């Protein structure tokens, strides 16, 4: 994106191009569809709040199409570029009217995307400054409540990402130890140095110890493998 915005010269135009590309993209004809759609599986659960850094509307569509229980989701995103602007009031989400909160913007609002280097820096700085001033990130109270009082499931997310670490660590720091919940993260095994003896075992042990300090239990495997097991257990 750093190269693209430099070559384009207009970051807003680039965001429009990215949104158009993503919305019009079709997988290659030879690619088989996934055996299980994670969004469809999650839509079956009585979850009130979904947090995503994706720009797409896949989760909203899965909720709207869920046949076992009619659901009417609300989708919104933070005004991360202007901490002075008040967050719009969001009704308390319910199982029937869940909230989908797009932490990095939504593709039907190109200006909301956290996409370029400058976007990520602005996002991080505003999160840190707002937390220092108000002891919490500039997020709606319903989102903060969901993140601090419920178990979280992290899917397709690198826990090494600085955006995640600033946001999640800041929230955890403000939480009394006795109030912390146990979370789950679906993780791929990192690249390994095959010349090191027992590299996979050591990496697994390291991830477990590192993330246990954040009350996160890990599932080593692909998203498909996790949701196959989840669906089987359901």
């Amino acid at each position: 994106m750093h190269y693209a915005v430099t070559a384009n010269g207009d970051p807003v135009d680039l965001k429009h191009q990215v949104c158009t590309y993503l919305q019009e993209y079709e997988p290659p004809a030879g690619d088989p569809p996934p055996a299980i759609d994670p969004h469809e599986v999650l839509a079956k659960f009585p979850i009130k709040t979904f947090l995503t850094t994706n720009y797409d509307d896949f989760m909203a569509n899965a909720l709207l199409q869920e046949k076992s229980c009619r659901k009417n989701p609300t989708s919104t995103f933070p005004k991360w570029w202007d901490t002075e602007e008040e967050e719009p009031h969001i009704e308390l989400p319910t199982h029937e009217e869940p909230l989908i909160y797009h932490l990095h913007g939504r593709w039907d609002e190109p200006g909301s995307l956290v996409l370029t280097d400058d976007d990520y820096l602005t996002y991080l700085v505003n999160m840190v400054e707002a937390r220092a001033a108000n002891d919490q990130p500039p997020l709606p109270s319903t989102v903060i409540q969901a993140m601090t009082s419920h178990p979280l499931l992290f899917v397709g997310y690198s826990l090494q990402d600085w955006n995640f670490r600033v946001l999640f660590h800041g929230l955890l720091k403000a939480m009394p130890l006795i109030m912390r919940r146990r979370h789950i993260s679906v993780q791929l095994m990192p690249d390994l140095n095959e010349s090191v003896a027992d590299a996979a075992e050591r990496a697994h042990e390291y991830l477990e110890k590192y993330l246990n300090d954040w009350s996160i239990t890990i599932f080593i495997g692909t998203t498909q493998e996790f949701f196959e097991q989840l669906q089987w257990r359901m």
Side-chain angles (χ1 to χ4, degrees), residues 6 57 95 177 224:
T6 302
D57 58 5
H95 299 151
L177 188 61
Q224 280 291 304

Side-chain angles (χ1 to χ4, degrees), residues 64-107:
L64 289 169
Q65 294 168 16
E66 172 52 35
K67 298 176 182 178
S68 62
C69 175
R70 187 164 187 164
K71 298 185 180 182
N72 183 30
T74 297
S75 297
T76 188
F77 51 84
K79 305 296 190 296
W80 55 268
W81 57 89
D82 184 6
T83 54
E84 298 298 322
E85 185 176 345
E86 285 191 20
E87 288 286 341
H89 174 71
I90 299 175
E91 294 293 336
L92 199 64
T94 64
H95 299 151
E96 294 75 25
E97 297 183 340
L99 170 67
I100 305 171
Y101 198 75
H102 292 259
L103 286 162
H104 287 178
R106 215 169 51 192
W107 67 10

Side-chain angles (χ1 to χ4, degrees), residues 34-47 50-69 71 73 75 98 100 102 107 153 155-156 223-224 226-228 230-231 234:
I36 295 177
D37 183 346
H39 304 92
E40 292 179 2
V41 178
L42 289 175
K44 299 179 187 299
F45 285 89
I47 299 173
F50 297 86
L51 305 174
T52 180
T53 50
N54 285 7
Y55 313 133
D56 59 64
D57 58 5
F58 299 160
M59 193 68 245
N61 289 338
L63 288 165
L64 289 169
Q65 294 168 16
E66 172 52 35
K67 298 176 182 178
S68 62
C69 175
K71 298 185 180 182
S75 297
I100 305 171
H102 292 259
W107 67 10
L153 170 64
V155 182
T223 301
Q224 280 291 304
F226 175 82
F227 279 97
E228 283 173 5
L230 181 62
Q231 186 159 273
M234 285 172 63

Side-chain angles (χ1 to χ4, degrees), residues 35-224:
I36 295 177
D37 183 346
H39 304 92
E40 292 179 2
V41 178
L42 289 175
K44 299 179 187 299
F45 285 89
I47 299 173
K48 298 179 182 179
T49 304
F50 297 86
L51 305 174
T52 180
T53 50
N54 285 7
Y55 313 133
D56 59 64
D57 58 5
F58 299 160
M59 193 68 245
N61 289 338
L63 288 165
L64 289 169
Q65 294 168 16
E66 172 52 35
K67 298 176 182 178
S68 62
C69 175
R70 187 164 187 164
K71 298 185 180 182
N72 183 30
T74 297
S75 297
T76 188
F77 51 84
K79 305 296 190 296
W80 55 268
W81 57 89
D82 184 6
T83 54
E84 298 298 322
E85 185 176 345
E86 285 191 20
E87 288 286 341
H89 174 71
I90 299 175
E91 294 293 336
L92 199 64
T94 64
H95 299 151
E96 294 75 25
E97 297 183 340
L99 170 67
I100 305 171
Y101 198 75
H102 292 259
L103 286 162
H104 287 178
R106 215 169 51 192
W107 67 10
D108 59 346
E109 295 281 353
S112 70
L113 267 58
V114 180
L115 181 69
T116 68
D117 283 359
D118 286 343
D119 292 340
Y120 277 95
L121 288 171
T122 301
Y123 188 93
L124 286 173
V125 168
N126 286 348
M127 284 288 179
V128 171
E129 288 184 347
R131 193 184 74 196
N134 306 316
D135 202 30
Q136 66 182 33
L139 301 173
S141 58
T142 51
V143 174
I144 293 177
Q145 182 183 6
M147 295 184 73
T148 56
S149 61
H150 295 79
L152 303 177
L153 170 64
F154 300 100
V155 182
Y157 212 121
S158 170
L159 299 185
Q160 306 300 317
D161 185 282
W162 275 105
N163 286 300
F164 164 81
R165 294 174 72 178
V166 168
L167 188 63
F168 188 69
H169 182 69
L171 289 170
L172 269 187
K173 191 175 181 181
M175 283 287 295
L177 188 61
I178 60 172
M179 297 294 291
R180 295 184 186 178
R181 304 296 302 270
R182 171 62 58 172
H183 312 293
I184 299 173
S185 178
V186 181
Q187 291 285 296
L188 292 174
M189 187 65 77
D191 292 334
L192 302 173
N193 184 345
E194 299 297 341
S195 65
V196 176
D198 302 323
E201 185 178 337
R202 292 186 184 188
H204 195 161
E205 183 180 354
Y206 161 74
L207 284 173
E208 284 187 334
K209 287 183 177 179
Y210 173 66
L211 295 176
N212 189 59
D213 290 340
W214 290 2
S215 299
I216 297 176
T217 299
I218 58 172
F219 174 93
I220 297 292
T222 66
T223 301
Q224 280 291 304

